[in-house]
Each structure stands twice: as structure tokens, then as C-alpha cells.
Amino acid sequence: MVFVFASLGEFVIVKVLQGKYSLLKQKEAERVMVTAITPWTNEISAKKRNSTIGKSGWLTLYWKTDKGKVKITWQEIDRISRIVFPVLFSLFSAVYWTILIVGSRYVHHPAEH
């Protein structure tokens, strides 16, 4: 049950971050359009754009690696979750069934005497 709720929580987080990322990219595109139409605002817009790029409040929504590849937070969470959830569930299942099967041998059943 924990895995179901954890996966639903991950889904909600990813969808919220995806929405924030889309809004941020839309605002950046609008700023680029304004600077293209009104070139005399380029200097002010460039400073403003560089100070907020990839940020939404306290959260970084995307960043560039040293190789120049753009990493997007919600995609990274989704990618990692595709590995972590199945591994944890498999580990949990292996431990659970091992304890259940081995432990059932040592349970005293009163009806058998």
C-alpha cells in the first residue's frame, strides 16, 4: 500500500513541476519575443532573464550540465523513480515472502498436536 501512495505522490509532484516548467518556459519565450520586438530593452531584459533562468521561487526547474545538456527537474525525478520504485518493490517482496515462507515453518499450530 505504501508503494501505491508513494507512486501517486511522485506522480503529483512530477505533474506540478511539469506545469511550473511549462509556465516558466512560456514566460521566457514571451520575454524573448519582447526583446526581439523592442531591441532597446535588451540590456534590461537580459539581466532580468539571467537572474531568473530555471527558477520558480526556491526551486530550480532546470539547469545546464558542464557539457551543455539541459536537465529538467521533473524529468529527472520521473527517470529516477522508474528505477527506484521497481527495485524497492522487488526488494520488499523478496524480504516479505522469504520471512512469510521461512517463518511459517516455525509457527506452532495447535491443531496439529
Side-chain angles (χ1 to χ4, degrees), residues 95-108:
V95 170
Y96 175 80
W97 286 107
T98 302
I99 290 172
L100 187 69
I101 291 170
V102 172
S104 68
R105 293 181 188 165
Y106 300 107
V107 173
H108 177 66

Side-chain angles (χ1 to χ4, degrees), residues 4-92:
V4 172
F5 286 114
S7 64
L8 286 173
E10 182 266 344
F11 176 75
V12 169
I13 290 169
V14 165
K15 287 311 250 179
V16 168
L17 291 176
Q18 182 183 15
K20 287 184 177 233
Y21 174 77
S22 297
L23 286 173
L24 183 67
K25 289 307 250 179
Q26 182 180 7
K27 287 179 184 178
E28 286 178 1
E30 289 170 0
R31 273 192 233 126
V32 168
M33 184 63 89
V34 167
T35 57
I37 294 171
T38 55
W40 57 87
T41 63
N42 270 347
E43 188 176 318
I44 297 168
S45 295
K47 288 179 186 175
K48 189 175 180 183
R49 185 173 56 245
N50 287 337
S51 66
T52 61
I53 196 161
K55 290 276 196 182
S56 175
W58 55 272
L59 185 65
T60 301
L61 294 176
Y62 67 93
W63 66 95
K64 285 190 178 184
T65 63
D66 294 336
K67 295 180 181 179
K69 185 175 181 180
V70 174
K71 296 279 189 168
I72 303 169
T73 304
W74 66 268
Q75 287 179 343
E76 292 299 309
I77 292 172
D78 201 37
R79 184 181 61 81
I80 291 168
S81 295
R82 283 187 223 148
I83 297 166
V84 170
F85 276 112
V87 168
L88 287 178
F89 183 74
S90 298
L91 183 65
F92 171 78

